[in-house]
Amino acid sequence: MDDMNLQEFEARIARGEKIEPGDWMPDAYRKQLIRMISQHAHSEIIGMLPEGVWLGRAPTLRRKMVLLSKVQDEGGHGQYLYHAAETLGATREEMTDALLAGRAKYSSVFNYPTLTWADIGMIGWLVDGAAIQNQTMLAHCSYGPYSRAMVRICTEETFHKKQGMEQIIRYARGTPRQKQMAQDALNRWWWPALMMFGPHDTASPNSAQLIRWGVKTKTNDELRQDFINKMVPDFHAIGLTIPDPALRYDAASGDWLGGEINWDEFWRVVNGDGPCNAERLQIRRTAHTEGAWVREALNAYAARAEA
Ligand code: BYC
């Protein structure tokens, strides 16, 4: 019976149909999606922190309003994604507990500090840009609720990327000090942004299954290369230098080829030992404790409404 279900499931994916919450799905598909969507949700929530610390230090009212709106959007993305994971049987409590206990993963990039205002522009352009590269693919993924969440998220991420681009272009064309700030920010964020795409395909245990079942349609390395090819000419056009001495254009493939990512650093950060991992989790734990009264009030209201 399971074999027949599996055949039909794979045939549906091959026809480009979406798998919906009540549909039959292999247990491994459900587990992969819960893993990936919950990690993605945590990334959105933790991702509010590096930018959130600059809300009180934005240089103008306009910049502050834009940043506030972006950070709120990220919180909303986390909500859509937790809901998408709930449709697969994960509970919000389990996912939150895993994050707060340090058992859950979230994107490595958010464990780096934001040292200057230029980092805020660079996150918008580079980090949201990398996210769009990945998520435009996920908007076509085989699981309906995840793909629909991605469509909406990508629309908002496009605004995030544009506001970051606008800031960095302005700095790159500004005073020598502003240009240096933009360059320093690029130096800090280039490699962490490339790490967002995950390990090389040969070291990615999940990719084969995710590709087989239409969750991913491109590999980690393919997406990373597409991203590099897009970003290098943009940064060159505004006079910034990519912090990779090995970078060169390969006319045969049309690719910008670069040096190797520091994979020791990547795995250290993924496994909890990056510059800000402890701080990020501590802030989430404090927020969770301080928000206990809201959850209690909502539960009491729901219990009364049911009575
Ligand atoms: N960081 O087999 P692999 C945003 C883990 S937020 C940490 O290649 P997969 C934004 C991976 O989980 C956007 N961990 O995995 C928010 C796996 O561990 P487990 C964030 C990483 O799933 C606020 C192991 O390494 N985007 O845009 O095939 C402000 C082996 O990897 C990382 C998403 O979450 C990493 N960078 O591919 C601004 C997109 N890379 O679970 C912006 C959704 C790998 O086996 N996720 N690992 O223990 C994905 O597309 C994929 O899950 C990944 C990894 C490409 C990240």
Side-chain angles (χ1 to χ4, degrees), residues 14-250:
R15 289 195 296 270
E17 286 176 30
K18 297 288 178 209
I19 306 300
E20 297 297 338
D23 297 349
W24 186 91
M25 60 185 81
D27 202 36
Y29 179 80
R30 185 186 300 278
K31 283 197 182 126
Q32 278 285 17
L33 281 169
I34 291 177
R35 177 190 70 82
M36 201 167 142
I37 301 174
S38 62
Q39 286 178 8
H40 194 162
H42 300 325
S43 302
E44 300 283 357
I45 298 298
I46 297 282
M48 297 165 80
L49 301 177
E51 294 176 286
V53 292
W54 279 91
L55 282 170
R57 293 179 281 172
T60 66
L61 179 60
R62 175 176 175 267
R63 292 286 179 207
K64 184 174 181 148
M65 283 166 24
V66 171
L67 183 60
L68 186 57
S69 160
K70 177 182 191 303
V71 172
Q72 283 178 333
D73 284 352
E74 311 297 1
H77 298 172
Q79 299 300 330
Y80 312 150
L81 289 163
Y82 284 126
H83 284 307
E86 281 168 339
T87 65
L88 292 153
T91 69
R92 183 71 71 104
E93 289 74 20
E94 283 162 4
M95 293 186 275
T96 306
D97 286 353
L99 176 65
L100 299 182
R103 291 192 309 274
K105 291 195 170 69
Y106 58 85
S107 185
S108 49
V109 75
F110 303 117
N111 292 307
Y112 291 85
T114 39
L115 302 182
T116 72
W117 177 254
D119 285 354
I120 299 305
M122 199 52 79
I123 288 183
W125 194 357
L126 205 52
V127 174
D128 288 76
I132 291 171
Q133 190 78 43
N134 171 281
Q135 292 171 185
T136 307
M137 167 191 76
L138 294 174
H140 299 281
C141 83
S142 56
Y143 188 57
Y146 195 24
S147 84
R148 290 189 287 274
M150 285 297 106
V151 172
R152 179 152 179 194
I153 289 176
C154 282
T155 313
E156 293 176 355
E157 298 287 18
T158 303
F159 150 71
H160 299 170
K161 180 181 162 183
K162 283 185 183 156
Q163 62 83 37
M165 220 168 141
E166 190 225 357
Q167 285 190 56
I168 294 299
I169 291 172
R170 190 172 271 236
Y171 269 30
R173 292 188 175 153
T175 63
R177 185 148 172 250
Q178 285 172 325
K179 183 167 181 188
Q180 191 57 50
M181 281 172 75
Q183 181 63 56
D184 289 345
L186 179 58
N187 296 348
R188 279 192 287 276
W189 292 94
W190 176 253
W191 292 103
L194 299 191
M195 291 176 192
M196 287 175 75
F197 294 95
H200 278 315
D201 299 345
T202 45
S204 163
N206 299 294
S207 282
Q209 197 168 51
L210 293 173
I211 287 176
R212 172 177 172 191
W213 286 333
V215 179
K216 283 178 172 178
T217 49
K218 287 191 169 195
T219 68
N220 297 356
D221 285 327
E222 283 169 345
L223 284 173
R224 184 169 20 240
Q225 189 62 58
D226 289 350
F227 176 68
I228 294 172
N229 289 348
K230 205 175 284 175
M231 297 311 295
V232 169
D234 280 1
F235 283 123
H236 284 170
I238 59 167
L240 296 188
T241 305
I242 305 289
D244 178 355
L247 190 75
R248 66 182 175 88
Y249 183 69
D250 178 53

